């Protein structure tokens, strides 16, 4: 419901037709400030600079005209009510700020809503789920659930499915400013759409995630040094043969090439969610790959929170001046595909290292190969219900990390080229999946198209129902937008 201040704001916008977009943005910021005193930050204030600096990669640290830091879901409602009165003003929605695509969770011309303060975490009294504010960090979530002997992490995904499959409900602020709950019974179409449909429907403030009792897991991590990677490739290829599938085994293999050092290295990090079954499992083969240069994590049993914590907090101190591009693909692991991709990757990396500007930008090229989740009903990702990608497919994340912003355009072009060439290999092997994982996808990739026409049509129907004026298509431009998808 609009209150008196909002009515005044409406009058003000009518009178402001002659203002440039800058004028409109300033008015929107001023109106937000009067509606939500103490929650609006301007450039050069401590809160503004802290928010901008907290994006993990330098390329995402855009400078909006003002930042709104809601303290509670009701503040988000008010913010949406104000911002929709200024249809020419773009706004961005940010929770963790970990998506590295420029402008996905920030804007340099408009308002950014930084949801970091919505970080409450509470386990349900029956210990079956945890309610999470969207600004919460996983460290806080693990600290809370593990106190109660509970868990849940992507290491279980080959058995249990995607993280979104474990969501019980979402609280979401719609374009009309209402705060509703979407779950399997109520607003069920929106509930499904939010499992994969990204920021096309509203602003999520909280969600409830299933948790379960879990003892220790087995985990290990080792580096294999400056070798061709062929032995690692062989081991991964055997691991992914369907007859070897183990739903309790999770693999993350990383190939990296540091251009300025001319150094290739490889590592495997793995987890087994049934420690009593680790010995004799397919994962053990990774401990036998030689030469091992470093055992980063000796094989051990510990909690999910312990293993997740080893990755670091991934705050900006992790990459203070680094820029990053990423893209991703998914494919079936044939006997030859990883060998071909490894060959291409090495050739590509060496070519980049011949460019002095890339070397001096400290470019590192990564390939990250990860197990993929099982298919569960109820999401929008478009997998056929009886498909089993987890048995023989891998997710490939391609990343470029470097520290000179002036290389952004050139390196975006290079990563797109490598991605296209990997895609060609996967197509030639008849192994390419149309699915592209949204969390790792480059901004030029066709993520929503990858869900398939049927799924996209459903998503569009839901968007039209819950956001009939298309606020989350027109005013929130960052992210993968349904309005950009045409079959
Ligand atoms: C170092 C690093 C490690 C990573 N590791 C993993 C990993 O192991 N597994 C994995 O799956 N991903 C991983 N990622 C990717 C990361 O999880 C995704 O990019 C994810 O989208 C980030 O979530 P976020 O809350 O930070 O989103 P943000 O960056 O804040 O936003 C991402 C998108 O979601 C939208 N959005 C954000 N909040 C809301 C909201 N409340 N309501 C509606 N829309 C919203 C934004 O508008 C934006 O388009 C990693 C990223 C980094 C940088």
């Amino acid at each position: 419901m609009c209150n008196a201040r909002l009515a005044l704001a409406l009058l003000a916008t009518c009178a402001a037709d002659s203002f440039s977009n800058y004028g409109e943005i300033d008015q929107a910021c001023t109106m937000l400030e009067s509606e939500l005193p103490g929650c609006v930050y301007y450039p050069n204030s401590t809160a503004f600079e802290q928010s901008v600096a907290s994006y993990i990669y330098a390329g995402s640290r855009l400078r909006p005209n003002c930042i709104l830091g809601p303290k509670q879901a009701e503040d988000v409602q008010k913010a949406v009510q104000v911002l929709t009165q200024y249809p020419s003003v773009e706004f961005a929605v940010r929770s963790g700020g970990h998506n590295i695509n420029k402008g996905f969770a920030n804007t340099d011309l408009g308002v950014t809503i930084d949801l970091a303060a919505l970080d409450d975490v509470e386990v349900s009294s029956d210990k079956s789920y945890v309610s999470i504010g969207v600004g919460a960090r996983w460290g806080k979530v693990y600290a809370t659930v593990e106190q109660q002997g509970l868990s849940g992490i992507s290491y279980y995904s080959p058995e249990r499915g995607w993280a979104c499959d474990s969501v019980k409900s979402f609280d979401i602020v719609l374009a009309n400013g209402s705060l509703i709950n979407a779950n399997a019974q109520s607003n069920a179409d929106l509930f499904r759409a939010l499992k994969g449909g990204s920021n096309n429907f509203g602003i999520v403030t909280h969600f409830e995630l299933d948790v379960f009792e879990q003892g220790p897991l087995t985990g290990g991590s080792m580096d294999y040094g400056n070798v061709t990677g062929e032995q690692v490739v062989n081991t991964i290829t055997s691991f992914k043969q369907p007859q070897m599938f183990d739903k309790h085994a999770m693999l993350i293999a990383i190939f990296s090439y540091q251009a300025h050092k001319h150094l290739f290295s490889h590592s495997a990090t793995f987890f087994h969610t049934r420690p009593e079954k680790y010995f004799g499992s397919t994962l053990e083969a990774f401990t036998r790959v030689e030469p091992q240069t470093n055992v980063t994590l000796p094989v051990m049993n510990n909690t999910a929170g312990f293993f997740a914590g080893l990755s670091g907090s991934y705050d900006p101190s992790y990459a203070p001046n680094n820029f990053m591009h990423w893209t991703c693909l998914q494919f079936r692991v044939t006997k030859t595909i990883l060998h071909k991709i490894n060959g291409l990757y090495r050739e590509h990396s060496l070519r980049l290292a011949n460019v002095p500007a890339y070397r001096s930008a400290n470019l590192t090229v990564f390939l990250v190969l990860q197990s993929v989740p099982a298919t569960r009903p109820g999401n929008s990702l478009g997998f056929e219900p009886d498909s089993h990608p987890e048995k023989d497919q891998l997710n490939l994340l391609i990343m470029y990390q470097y520290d000179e912003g002036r290389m952004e355009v050139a390196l975006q072009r290079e990563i797109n080229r490598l991605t296209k060439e990997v895609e060609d290999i996967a197509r030639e092997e008849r192994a390419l999946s149309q699915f592209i994982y949204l969390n790792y996808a480059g901004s030029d990739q066709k993520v929503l198209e990858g869900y398939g026409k049927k799924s996209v049509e459903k998503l569009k129907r839901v968007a039209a129902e819950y956001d009939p004026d298309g606020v989350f298509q027109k005013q929130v431009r960052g992210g993968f937008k349904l309005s950009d998808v045409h079959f």
Side-chain angles (χ1 to χ4, degrees), residues 232-244:
V232 186
V233 164
N234 284 334
T235 313
I236 302 173
T237 304
S238 322
F239 172 72
K240 283 314 300 181
Q241 295 313 296
Q243 69 277 15
M244 307 295 275

Side-chain angles (χ1 to χ4, degrees), residues 93 95-99 104-105 115 199 202 204 314 326 437 439-440:
V93 182
S95 288
H98 263 204
N99 189 303
F104 266 43
L115 297 157
N199 65 358
V204 174
Y314 286 144
W326 64 27
Y437 181 36
N439 271 11
Y440 295 158

Side-chain angles (χ1 to χ4, degrees), residues 24 94 152 165 169 235 254 256 265 339 360-362 381 402 455:
E24 294 255 321
R94 175 247 165 107
D165 296 328
S169 78
T235 313
I254 303 182
S256 66
S265 40
H339 293 280
S360 65
N362 292 321
L381 303 174
Y402 56 99
S455 186

Side-chain angles (χ1 to χ4, degrees), residues 157-158 160-165 192 195-197 328-332 370-396 431-439 447-456 458-459:
S157 59
R160 290 175 173 263
W162 295 91
C164 67
D165 296 328
R192 175 189 275 264
K195 297 181 173 205
C328 113
L329 296 172
Q330 191 161 309
F331 50 78
R332 182 169 52 81
Q370 274 179 262
S371 299
V372 305
T375 300
R376 293 279 173 267
N379 62 44
S380 295
L381 303 174
F383 290 103
E384 290 299 326
D386 53 354
S387 63
H388 289 285
E390 73 279 15
K391 290 196 172 168
D392 59 359
Q393 294 188 15
L394 277 177
N395 178 288
L396 170 65
L432 183 66
S433 163
Q434 64 173 5
F435 178 77
I436 298 171
Y437 181 36
L438 187 146
N439 271 11
V447 170
L448 300 174
E449 287 85 340
Y451 297 173
K453 193 169 176 207
K454 215 166 91 192
S455 186
V456 168
K458 274 193 203 161
L459 290 172

Side-chain angles (χ1 to χ4, degrees), residues 79 113 126 147 268 331 345 419:
I113 302 180
D126 68 355
Q147 263 173 12
F331 50 78
Y345 156 73
T419 308

Side-chain angles (χ1 to χ4, degrees), residues 55-57 92-100 103-106 115 134 137-138 154 172 194 198-200 202-205 252 314 318 324 326 370 437-440 472 476 478-480:
Y55 286 84
I56 184 163
Y57 283 100
V93 182
R94 175 247 165 107
S95 288
H98 263 204
N99 189 303
I100 56 95
F104 266 43
N106 201 356
L115 297 157
V134 291
R137 296 292 168 153
W138 287 114
S154 59
I172 179 169
L194 287 167
S198 198
N199 65 358
N200 283 290
I203 302 180
V204 174
T205 59
I252 306 169
Y314 286 144
Y318 167 77
M324 170 79 101
W326 64 27
Q370 274 179 262
Y437 181 36
L438 187 146
N439 271 11
Y440 295 158
F472 286 91
V476 180
F480 296 101

